[in-house]
Amino acid sequence: MNKHLARLATALVLLLPLTPASAKFDGIERWADGLVEPALASGRLGGVSIGLVEDGEVTFIKAYGWEDQAREIPLDPYKSVFRMCSMSKSFMATTMMQLIEGGEIDSLDDPVNRYLRRIQLPPPHGDEVTLRQLMTHTSGMAGHGTPQGTTRDLPTPVSREEIASYFVENIERPPGAISQYANLGVSLEGILIEDITGQALAERLDTHIFQPLGMNDSELNHSTTTPPRLVVPYGRFPNGELQAVRFFPKHPLGAASGGVLSTTADMLKYLAFHADEEALEHEDVLSGPGRATMHRAHFRNNDADWGIGLHFFPNNFGGIRVAQHGCGLPGTRGIMAVMPDINAGVVINVLSASPMPPVGDLLDLALKEGRYAPDPSLPEQELWSVGDVWDDFTETFLGEPVRPDIPEDYLGADIVSDPEKIAGTYWLERRAMSTPITLFFAGMTRAVEVGEDGKLLLDNKSYSRLAPGIYASDETGTRVFFREPWEGSPVFLSSEVPMNYRKVSGLGNPQIVAGMLIIGMLLSFVGLVALKRPAGVLQRGLPRTLAIGMPLLILALPVAALAGAELATDLIFMTLEGERGRMDTVLWLLRLHILAGAVLAVLMLNAWRQGRGSASAGGRALEYALFTAAALTWPAVFLFNLYSSW
């Protein structure tokens, strides 16, 4: 009954005129119209919703485009529900701070294991991880090889066994060394909240945040049923046909890092609460000092960057403090920001997607036929990011970014200033570093060159040296830092957000590994050619079976990965969205190939030794060498990948 009354009150509020925007944001509607409407008309995006709150009053709220374009349902900032994806993390931090203020947690620097009941982080580093480190992504986890979704409706809180199957990674680095964005750590926060409170996480957020703040159209969602009024992003094929972006339900543990659903209007209530660090109105939810604690930096990858707060990223535009968090899921991008200095908050959600090729259309994709035949009357689709809107907003209303000053004699303890040590290939650390899933991240590298003029080329873009180990983009001013964050560590390339790249070389370079895998696959087909030669070891028994079996196993990989899949991109979502059975099938095929290759290598070496004195020894030696190379490439690469952090 109370919820129905709240909805009625909300409906009445909609009839009232908005409070005029302050002088600071004067002309915000003209700005939004001029930025969004041309992009919408050109087909670059499906919809945008923007809201601004100042001094607790909504001063601008407007939606453009479609909640569901195919069904011609327009976006409504009061009713259309967006996936808040990674902005959900701030709700975890808010809840953790509530537990501290309520005396259920003693300190941010308490060890996580003190409060966990269903799981314990294992040694050697697990018992060192603190709550502050979880909320600043400095726990040492990689955290990107764990399924974020599920095809099952799981009871919550989830069982100890379900948690054990979900946490497949250990602490990979010394805690507190670097801040590396990790969804897995946020899942652990959700588990900890449930263990302390005895409530399911969705229930806890509803009773202690959503209801007290009047967020009546918000929830933490992990149901396999598509929620009502959930926005539907669309990709557009080159011929103009629309394709809805599939809804992948969140796993209850993954929901902690990205499962909040909300409207623009509801999020403005949340931002109004966070933006006023001195308000007494919602002290029962969280005190002003508690909110301020969340917004300030608690860790910096470098003293010259903005740092990271408790699931808020603090920065500064035009001298105004801004604490923000962005998010992204297929087809949906968003950002929320609070500005405590001026008691304001803004939320922006953008719908923009590329079409995902159906498996049956892969040939058409290659030939540019069917849905992939371009319609010359349509503009070429250009994905529009929430960053495009946010950058324009800050430039128009706040001013240039104000970054921390760098002393002339600056040289941090872990800074790397030697250009020879800086140059090289860097690989993204946000991955499952010691599992076969690592190979899905093989292309996430950055190339660094240092010229004689001292300038740095990062992915062929120019950066100027500001101080030892610190460079700034000549185009955007964004800073990058080169560090050795703990004794004996490799060089890390850090950016202003907690995203790190580790320097790699030799077999550690994923591009070399990917090349070895491709060569291994091609060499696996040599046996089919050699089978036609008269006599020889490949004409008999087990060697013949293995020579035929290895290429068949290679051909079985795409079949196992895509059979029964509607979209080619299911190959990705089987890991990121919880389709583990398909991944397990692929991995078992790879293991069989490794076993077949190892046995064949032994047979080839033995056959070569027995036939060294024959007239055809040279040709046989070449055949056997190719087979041995093919057989050993797979075991070497996969075992190295599986048991090494590179």
mmCIF file of all heavy atoms in Angstrom, residues 505-543:
data_model
loop_
_atom_site.group_PDB
_atom_site.id
_atom_site.type_symbol
_atom_site.label_atom_id
_atom_site.label_comp_id
_atom_site.label_asym_id
_atom_site.label_seq_id
_atom_site.Cartn_x
_atom_site.Cartn_y
_atom_site.Cartn_z
ATOM 1 N N SER A 505 57.102 -9.378 -22.716
ATOM 2 C CA SER A 505 58.095 -9.586 -23.771
ATOM 3 C C SER A 505 58.207 -11.077 -24.043
ATOM 4 O O SER A 505 57.773 -11.905 -23.235
ATOM 5 C CB SER A 505 59.460 -9.027 -23.349
ATOM 6 O OG SER A 505 59.908 -9.660 -22.168
ATOM 7 N N GLY A 506 58.798 -11.411 -25.182
ATOM 8 C CA GLY A 506 59.014 -12.815 -25.523
ATOM 9 C C GLY A 506 57.714 -13.597 -25.528
ATOM 10 O O GLY A 506 56.694 -13.158 -26.055
ATOM 11 N N LEU A 507 57.725 -14.789 -24.913
ATOM 12 C CA LEU A 507 56.524 -15.611 -24.852
ATOM 13 C C LEU A 507 55.435 -14.959 -24.017
ATOM 14 O O LEU A 507 54.285 -15.378 -24.057
ATOM 15 C CB LEU A 507 56.852 -16.998 -24.280
ATOM 16 C CG LEU A 507 57.519 -17.973 -25.241
ATOM 17 C CD1 LEU A 507 57.831 -19.273 -24.526
ATOM 18 C CD2 LEU A 507 56.620 -18.241 -26.441
ATOM 19 N N GLY A 508 55.797 -13.964 -23.221
ATOM 20 C CA GLY A 508 54.797 -13.254 -22.451
ATOM 21 C C GLY A 508 53.960 -12.315 -23.288
ATOM 22 O O GLY A 508 52.929 -11.831 -22.832
ATOM 23 N N ASN A 509 54.400 -12.030 -24.515
ATOM 24 C CA ASN A 509 53.647 -11.136 -25.385
ATOM 25 C C ASN A 509 52.468 -11.903 -25.984
ATOM 26 O O ASN A 509 52.659 -12.862 -26.736
ATOM 27 C CB ASN A 509 54.555 -10.620 -26.505
ATOM 28 C CG ASN A 509 53.885 -9.544 -27.338
ATOM 29 O OD1 ASN A 509 52.675 -9.534 -27.501
ATOM 30 N ND2 ASN A 509 54.683 -8.642 -27.868
ATOM 31 N N PRO A 510 51.239 -11.518 -25.665
ATOM 32 C CA PRO A 510 50.084 -12.282 -26.149
ATOM 33 C C PRO A 510 49.973 -12.307 -27.657
ATOM 34 O O PRO A 510 49.390 -13.232 -28.219
ATOM 35 C CB PRO A 510 48.892 -11.553 -25.503
ATOM 36 C CG PRO A 510 49.393 -10.188 -25.196
ATOM 37 C CD PRO A 510 50.842 -10.359 -24.863
ATOM 38 N N GLN A 511 50.522 -11.304 -28.330
ATOM 39 C CA GLN A 511 50.468 -11.317 -29.786
ATOM 40 C C GLN A 511 51.348 -12.428 -30.353
ATOM 41 O O GLN A 511 51.008 -13.066 -31.346
ATOM 42 C CB GLN A 511 50.903 -9.950 -30.318
ATOM 43 C CG GLN A 511 49.940 -8.841 -29.912
ATOM 44 C CD GLN A 511 50.440 -7.465 -30.284
ATOM 45 O OE1 GLN A 511 51.634 -7.253 -30.478
ATOM 46 N NE2 GLN A 511 49.532 -6.521 -30.377
ATOM 47 N N ILE A 512 52.484 -12.674 -29.700
ATOM 48 C CA ILE A 512 53.343 -13.787 -30.112
ATOM 49 C C ILE A 512 52.650 -15.115 -29.828
ATOM 50 O O ILE A 512 52.665 -16.046 -30.641
ATOM 51 C CB ILE A 512 54.699 -13.712 -29.393
ATOM 52 C CG1 ILE A 512 55.474 -12.476 -29.874
ATOM 53 C CG2 ILE A 512 55.518 -14.981 -29.605
ATOM 54 C CD1 ILE A 512 56.795 -12.263 -29.179
ATOM 55 N N VAL A 513 52.016 -15.189 -28.645
ATOM 56 C CA VAL A 513 51.298 -16.415 -28.286
ATOM 57 C C VAL A 513 50.179 -16.688 -29.285
ATOM 58 O O VAL A 513 49.993 -17.824 -29.731
ATOM 59 C CB VAL A 513 50.735 -16.300 -26.857
ATOM 60 C CG1 VAL A 513 49.834 -17.480 -26.540
ATOM 61 C CG2 VAL A 513 51.867 -16.228 -25.844
ATOM 62 N N ALA A 514 49.420 -15.647 -29.635
ATOM 63 C CA ALA A 514 48.337 -15.827 -30.599
ATOM 64 C C ALA A 514 48.886 -16.309 -31.940
ATOM 65 O O ALA A 514 48.295 -17.179 -32.603
ATOM 66 C CB ALA A 514 47.570 -14.516 -30.766
ATOM 67 N N GLY A 515 50.036 -15.758 -32.346
ATOM 68 C CA GLY A 515 50.664 -16.215 -33.580
ATOM 69 C C GLY A 515 51.069 -17.674 -33.508
ATOM 70 O O GLY A 515 50.896 -18.431 -34.471
ATOM 71 N N MET A 516 51.612 -18.092 -32.348
ATOM 72 C CA MET A 516 51.995 -19.487 -32.175
ATOM 73 C C MET A 516 50.780 -20.408 -32.266
ATOM 74 O O MET A 516 50.841 -21.507 -32.841
ATOM 75 C CB MET A 516 52.691 -19.669 -30.825
ATOM 76 C CG MET A 516 54.057 -19.002 -30.733
ATOM 77 S SD MET A 516 54.734 -19.080 -29.053
ATOM 78 C CE MET A 516 54.868 -20.853 -28.833
ATOM 79 N N LEU A 517 49.661 -19.956 -31.703
ATOM 80 C CA LEU A 517 48.448 -20.771 -31.758
ATOM 81 C C LEU A 517 47.964 -20.936 -33.192
ATOM 82 O O LEU A 517 47.564 -22.026 -33.603
ATOM 83 C CB LEU A 517 47.353 -20.123 -30.908
ATOM 84 C CG LEU A 517 47.577 -20.158 -29.397
ATOM 85 C CD1 LEU A 517 46.481 -19.382 -28.687
ATOM 86 C CD2 LEU A 517 47.603 -21.584 -28.894
ATOM 87 N N ILE A 518 48.010 -19.854 -33.962
ATOM 88 C CA ILE A 518 47.578 -19.935 -35.363
ATOM 89 C C ILE A 518 48.495 -20.864 -36.151
ATOM 90 O O ILE A 518 48.036 -21.708 -36.938
ATOM 91 C CB ILE A 518 47.563 -18.527 -35.989
ATOM 92 C CG1 ILE A 518 46.469 -17.682 -35.325
ATOM 93 C CG2 ILE A 518 47.348 -18.608 -37.500
ATOM 94 C CD1 ILE A 518 46.495 -16.230 -35.732
ATOM 95 N N ILE A 519 49.807 -20.739 -35.927
ATOM 96 C CA ILE A 519 50.759 -21.623 -36.610
ATOM 97 C C ILE A 519 50.505 -23.072 -36.213
ATOM 98 O O ILE A 519 50.519 -23.982 -37.046
ATOM 99 C CB ILE A 519 52.200 -21.208 -36.275
ATOM 100 C CG1 ILE A 519 52.514 -19.848 -36.914
ATOM 101 C CG2 ILE A 519 53.197 -22.267 -36.748
ATOM 102 C CD1 ILE A 519 53.827 -19.258 -36.466
ATOM 103 N N GLY A 520 50.257 -23.285 -34.909
ATOM 104 C CA GLY A 520 49.979 -24.643 -34.440
ATOM 105 C C GLY A 520 48.752 -25.234 -35.094
ATOM 106 O O GLY A 520 48.725 -26.411 -35.466
ATOM 107 N N MET A 521 47.715 -24.410 -35.243
ATOM 108 C CA MET A 521 46.497 -24.887 -35.906
ATOM 109 C C MET A 521 46.777 -25.287 -37.347
ATOM 110 O O MET A 521 46.335 -26.336 -37.823
ATOM 111 C CB MET A 521 45.427 -23.797 -35.867
ATOM 112 C CG MET A 521 44.808 -23.559 -34.510
ATOM 113 S SD MET A 521 43.528 -22.266 -34.605
ATOM 114 C CE MET A 521 43.003 -22.205 -32.896
ATOM 115 N N LEU A 522 47.525 -24.420 -38.065
ATOM 116 C CA LEU A 522 47.818 -24.716 -39.471
ATOM 117 C C LEU A 522 48.673 -25.969 -39.609
ATOM 118 O O LEU A 522 48.440 -26.807 -40.493
ATOM 119 C CB LEU A 522 48.513 -23.514 -40.111
ATOM 120 C CG LEU A 522 47.671 -22.241 -40.221
ATOM 121 C CD1 LEU A 522 48.515 -21.094 -40.774
ATOM 122 C CD2 LEU A 522 46.451 -22.470 -41.098
ATOM 123 N N LEU A 523 49.681 -26.084 -38.725
ATOM 124 C CA LEU A 523 50.544 -27.258 -38.797
ATOM 125 C C LEU A 523 49.785 -28.546 -38.492
ATOM 126 O O LEU A 523 50.173 -29.627 -38.944
ATOM 127 C CB LEU A 523 51.717 -27.112 -37.824
ATOM 128 C CG LEU A 523 52.768 -26.057 -38.187
ATOM 129 C CD1 LEU A 523 53.824 -25.966 -37.096
ATOM 130 C CD2 LEU A 523 53.419 -26.390 -39.524
ATOM 131 N N SER A 524 48.699 -28.419 -37.729
ATOM 132 C CA SER A 524 47.923 -29.611 -37.394
ATOM 133 C C SER A 524 47.309 -30.259 -38.627
ATOM 134 O O SER A 524 46.941 -31.434 -38.603
ATOM 135 C CB SER A 524 46.816 -29.250 -36.403
ATOM 136 O OG SER A 524 47.366 -28.827 -35.173
ATOM 137 N N PHE A 525 47.204 -29.499 -39.728
ATOM 138 C CA PHE A 525 46.608 -30.041 -40.949
ATOM 139 C C PHE A 525 47.647 -30.693 -41.864
ATOM 140 O O PHE A 525 47.285 -31.261 -42.890
ATOM 141 C CB PHE A 525 45.878 -28.925 -41.709
ATOM 142 C CG PHE A 525 44.589 -28.514 -41.072
ATOM 143 C CD1 PHE A 525 44.572 -27.580 -40.059
ATOM 144 C CD2 PHE A 525 43.385 -29.080 -41.474
ATOM 145 C CE1 PHE A 525 43.395 -27.191 -39.459
ATOM 146 C CE2 PHE A 525 42.196 -28.700 -40.880
ATOM 147 C CZ PHE A 525 42.197 -27.751 -39.869
ATOM 148 N N VAL A 526 48.924 -30.607 -41.494
ATOM 149 C CA VAL A 526 49.966 -31.201 -42.326
ATOM 150 C C VAL A 526 49.767 -32.708 -42.460
ATOM 151 O O VAL A 526 50.036 -33.309 -43.498
ATOM 152 C CB VAL A 526 51.360 -30.882 -41.750
ATOM 153 C CG1 VAL A 526 52.445 -31.631 -42.517
ATOM 154 C CG2 VAL A 526 51.611 -29.385 -41.803
ATOM 155 N N GLY A 527 49.245 -33.317 -41.404
ATOM 156 C CA GLY A 527 49.069 -34.771 -41.421
ATOM 157 C C GLY A 527 48.164 -35.252 -42.521
ATOM 158 O O GLY A 527 48.357 -36.343 -43.072
ATOM 159 N N LEU A 528 47.163 -34.465 -42.892
ATOM 160 C CA LEU A 528 46.250 -34.884 -43.948
ATOM 161 C C LEU A 528 46.971 -34.980 -45.282
ATOM 162 O O LEU A 528 46.632 -35.807 -46.123
ATOM 163 C CB LEU A 528 45.088 -33.889 -44.052
ATOM 164 C CG LEU A 528 44.193 -33.785 -42.811
ATOM 165 C CD1 LEU A 528 43.074 -32.777 -43.048
ATOM 166 C CD2 LEU A 528 43.615 -35.141 -42.442
ATOM 167 N N VAL A 529 47.984 -34.125 -45.475
ATOM 168 C CA VAL A 529 48.786 -34.181 -46.696
ATOM 169 C C VAL A 529 49.731 -35.370 -46.644
ATOM 170 O O VAL A 529 49.879 -36.128 -47.612
ATOM 171 C CB VAL A 529 49.575 -32.868 -46.890
ATOM 172 C CG1 VAL A 529 50.457 -32.955 -48.130
ATOM 173 C CG2 VAL A 529 48.612 -31.693 -46.990
ATOM 174 N N ALA A 530 50.365 -35.571 -45.492
ATOM 175 C CA ALA A 530 51.347 -36.640 -45.363
ATOM 176 C C ALA A 530 50.723 -38.020 -45.454
ATOM 177 O O ALA A 530 51.412 -38.989 -45.786
ATOM 178 C CB ALA A 530 52.093 -36.495 -44.033
ATOM 179 N N LEU A 531 49.433 -38.136 -45.181
ATOM 180 C CA LEU A 531 48.775 -39.441 -45.261
ATOM 181 C C LEU A 531 48.813 -40.018 -46.676
ATOM 182 O O LEU A 531 48.694 -41.234 -46.868
ATOM 183 C CB LEU A 531 47.312 -39.317 -44.806
ATOM 184 C CG LEU A 531 47.081 -39.178 -43.298
ATOM 185 C CD1 LEU A 531 45.623 -38.894 -43.009
ATOM 186 C CD2 LEU A 531 47.523 -40.437 -42.565
ATOM 187 N N LYS A 532 48.965 -39.158 -47.679
ATOM 188 C CA LYS A 532 48.976 -39.624 -49.066
ATOM 189 C C LYS A 532 50.316 -40.221 -49.475
ATOM 190 O O LYS A 532 50.433 -40.829 -50.523
ATOM 191 C CB LYS A 532 48.620 -38.465 -50.005
ATOM 192 C CG LYS A 532 47.201 -37.944 -49.807
ATOM 193 C CD LYS A 532 46.868 -36.850 -50.816
ATOM 194 C CE LYS A 532 45.437 -36.373 -50.664
ATOM 195 N NZ LYS A 532 45.091 -35.325 -51.656
ATOM 196 N N ARG A 533 51.353 -39.988 -48.659
ATOM 197 C CA ARG A 533 52.656 -40.541 -49.013
ATOM 198 C C ARG A 533 52.654 -42.048 -48.793
ATOM 199 O O ARG A 533 52.086 -42.538 -47.828
ATOM 200 C CB ARG A 533 53.752 -39.916 -48.160
ATOM 201 C CG ARG A 533 54.029 -38.451 -48.523
ATOM 202 C CD ARG A 533 55.057 -37.881 -47.581
ATOM 203 N NE ARG A 533 56.322 -38.601 -47.665
ATOM 204 C CZ ARG A 533 57.323 -38.247 -48.452
ATOM 205 N NH1 ARG A 533 57.208 -37.200 -49.234
ATOM 206 N NH2 ARG A 533 58.448 -38.932 -48.468
ATOM 207 N N PRO A 534 53.285 -42.790 -49.678
ATOM 208 C CA PRO A 534 53.350 -44.249 -49.481
ATOM 209 C C PRO A 534 54.195 -44.594 -48.265
ATOM 210 O O PRO A 534 55.163 -43.903 -47.940
ATOM 211 C CB PRO A 534 54.016 -44.749 -50.771
ATOM 212 C CG PRO A 534 54.797 -43.572 -51.261
ATOM 213 C CD PRO A 534 54.002 -42.357 -50.889
ATOM 214 N N ALA A 535 53.771 -45.665 -47.593
ATOM 215 C CA ALA A 535 54.482 -46.155 -46.409
ATOM 216 C C ALA A 535 54.605 -45.044 -45.375
ATOM 217 O O ALA A 535 53.843 -44.101 -45.340
ATOM 218 C CB ALA A 535 55.858 -46.709 -46.797
ATOM 219 N N GLY A 536 55.605 -45.138 -44.511
ATOM 220 C CA GLY A 536 55.787 -44.109 -43.487
ATOM 221 C C GLY A 536 54.951 -44.394 -42.260
ATOM 222 O O GLY A 536 53.942 -45.111 -42.291
ATOM 223 N N VAL A 537 55.366 -43.784 -41.151
ATOM 224 C CA VAL A 537 54.739 -44.070 -39.866
ATOM 225 C C VAL A 537 53.286 -43.594 -39.821
ATOM 226 O O VAL A 537 52.464 -44.152 -39.103
ATOM 227 C CB VAL A 537 55.561 -43.423 -38.732
ATOM 228 C CG1 VAL A 537 55.477 -41.893 -38.807
ATOM 229 C CG2 VAL A 537 55.084 -43.897 -37.366
ATOM 230 N N LEU A 538 52.948 -42.580 -40.635
ATOM 231 C CA LEU A 538 51.594 -42.046 -40.571
ATOM 232 C C LEU A 538 50.568 -42.928 -41.267
ATOM 233 O O LEU A 538 49.376 -42.642 -41.235
ATOM 234 C CB LEU A 538 51.559 -40.647 -41.187
ATOM 235 C CG LEU A 538 52.312 -39.581 -40.398
ATOM 236 C CD1 LEU A 538 52.295 -38.266 -41.135
ATOM 237 C CD2 LEU A 538 51.716 -39.415 -39.017
ATOM 238 N N GLN A 539 51.026 -44.006 -41.909
ATOM 239 C CA GLN A 539 50.097 -44.922 -42.554
ATOM 240 C C GLN A 539 49.600 -45.997 -41.597
ATOM 241 O O GLN A 539 48.750 -46.803 -41.962
ATOM 242 C CB GLN A 539 50.782 -45.594 -43.754
ATOM 243 C CG GLN A 539 51.212 -44.626 -44.839
ATOM 244 C CD GLN A 539 50.032 -43.975 -45.513
ATOM 245 O OE1 GLN A 539 49.009 -44.604 -45.728
ATOM 246 N NE2 GLN A 539 50.162 -42.696 -45.820
ATOM 247 N N ARG A 540 50.096 -46.008 -40.368
ATOM 248 C CA ARG A 540 49.815 -47.139 -39.481
ATOM 249 C C ARG A 540 49.123 -46.706 -38.193
ATOM 250 O O ARG A 540 49.492 -45.699 -37.578
ATOM 251 C CB ARG A 540 51.123 -47.853 -39.121
ATOM 252 C CG ARG A 540 51.911 -48.350 -40.319
ATOM 253 C CD ARG A 540 53.040 -49.271 -39.882
ATOM 254 N NE ARG A 540 53.993 -48.600 -39.002
ATOM 255 C CZ ARG A 540 55.066 -47.946 -39.413
ATOM 256 N NH1 ARG A 540 55.312 -47.860 -40.714
ATOM 257 N NH2 ARG A 540 55.897 -47.381 -38.560
ATOM 258 N N GLY A 541 48.119 -47.441 -37.786
ATOM 259 C CA GLY A 541 47.536 -47.432 -36.464
ATOM 260 C C GLY A 541 47.357 -46.074 -35.802
ATOM 261 O O GLY A 541 46.742 -45.148 -36.338
ATOM 262 N N LEU A 542 47.924 -45.984 -34.605
ATOM 263 C CA LEU A 542 47.744 -44.798 -33.765
ATOM 264 C C LEU A 542 48.247 -43.513 -34.428
ATOM 265 O O LEU A 542 47.556 -42.486 -34.376
ATOM 266 C CB LEU A 542 48.425 -45.012 -32.410
ATOM 267 C CG LEU A 542 48.270 -43.877 -31.399
ATOM 268 C CD1 LEU A 542 46.802 -43.617 -31.094
ATOM 269 C CD2 LEU A 542 49.032 -44.210 -30.109
ATOM 270 N N PRO A 543 49.452 -43.511 -35.061
ATOM 271 C CA PRO A 543 49.885 -42.268 -35.713
ATOM 272 C C PRO A 543 48.893 -41.770 -36.753
ATOM 273 O O PRO A 543 48.625 -40.577 -36.855
ATOM 274 C CB PRO A 543 51.230 -42.639 -36.343
ATOM 275 C CG PRO A 543 51.715 -43.778 -35.519
ATOM 276 C CD PRO A 543 50.497 -44.551 -35.138
#
